């Protein structure tokens, strides 16, 4: 068994190889997801807090916005201009809004269809909202009752996994659409060749 041969360092001005670019992209995604996870874990320190204006009501303050002193500073974490997460904490709820990367028209259509499909089934996801915050694609709402019934680290991991998998899912749908369109175009053009 021979140890792997060390690779020489790149020359100054030499183009970066695809392996280095992929590693950089992966580490950028990992640091983005780590930042979202750490911020969300800190924001999920929630407690039961009834409404100060209406008796026997316990609504998420981040949604109602009736008392400014119960709202904490919102945090926006951006990976790119089009890919960002908005975390809006309050005393008894946290709203997480996600803007999924949309590089072109096809990705925009696929993202809209994908998020619409998920939001129509929001009650099965428990923490998903039916309507996203403006300028975002999908939103989640974690309240103190969710944290009483579920593990906090599992909810945070769910949001992190969703962020990671949504982009992969849209990319795979885009590849499938492109492959189908290539086959259709080839079949269509063979009719003219005959």
């Amino acid at each position: 068994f021979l140890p792997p041969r060390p690779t020489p360092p790149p020359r100054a001005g030499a183009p970066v190889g695809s392996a280095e670019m992929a590693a950089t992209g992966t580490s950028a995604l990992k640091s983005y997801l780590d930042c979202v996870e750490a911020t969300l874990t800190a924001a999920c320190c929630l407690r039961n807090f009834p409404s100060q204006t209406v008796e026997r009501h316990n609504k998420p303050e981040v949604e109602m916005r009736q008392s400014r002193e119960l709202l904490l500073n919102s945090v926006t974490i951006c990976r790119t201009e089009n890919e960002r997460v908005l975390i809006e904490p309050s005393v008894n709820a946290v709203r997480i809004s996600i803007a999924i990367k949309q590089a072109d028209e096809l990705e925009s259509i696929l993202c809209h269809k994908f998020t619409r499909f998920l939001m129509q089934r929001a009650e099965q996801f428990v923490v998903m909202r039916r309507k996203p915050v403006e300028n975002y694609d999908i939103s989640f709402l974690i309240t103190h009752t969710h944290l009483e019934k579920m593990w906090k680290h599992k909810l945070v991991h769910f949001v992190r996994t969703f962020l990671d998998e949504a982009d992969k899912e849209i990319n795979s749908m885009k590849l499938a659409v492109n492959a189908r369109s290539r086959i259709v175009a080839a079949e269509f053009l063979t009719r003219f060749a005959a």
Side-chain angles (χ1 to χ4, degrees), residues 38-47 60-63 65 67-77 85-97 140-143:
T39 308
L40 193 54
T41 301
C44 279
C45 294
L46 306 176
R47 60 178 287 228
E61 285 296 328
V62 73
E63 298 277 321
R65 298 200 173 272
S67 304
R68 287 196 56 180
E69 66 272 7
L70 302 177
L71 300 173
L72 304 174
N73 294 332
S74 60
V75 178
T76 304
I77 303 168
V85 175
L86 173 67
I87 299 174
E88 299 173 280
S90 71
V91 71
N92 63 353
V94 177
R95 182 168 54 194
I96 304 112
S97 303
F140 298 98
L141 180 70
I142 300 174
T143 63

Side-chain angles (χ1 to χ4, degrees), residues 7 33 35 37 46 54 57 65 69 79 91 105 113 125-126 129 133 150 155 167 170-171:
T7 57
L33 294 174
C35 184
E37 184 175 17
L46 306 176
V54 182
H57 276 243
R65 298 200 173 272
E69 66 272 7
R79 184 173 177 212
V91 71
E105 188 74 25
K113 295 286 186 187
F125 288 98
V126 182
R129 294 178 76 233
V133 174
M150 298 180 247
L155 282 171
D167 192 36
I170 290 171
N171 284 338

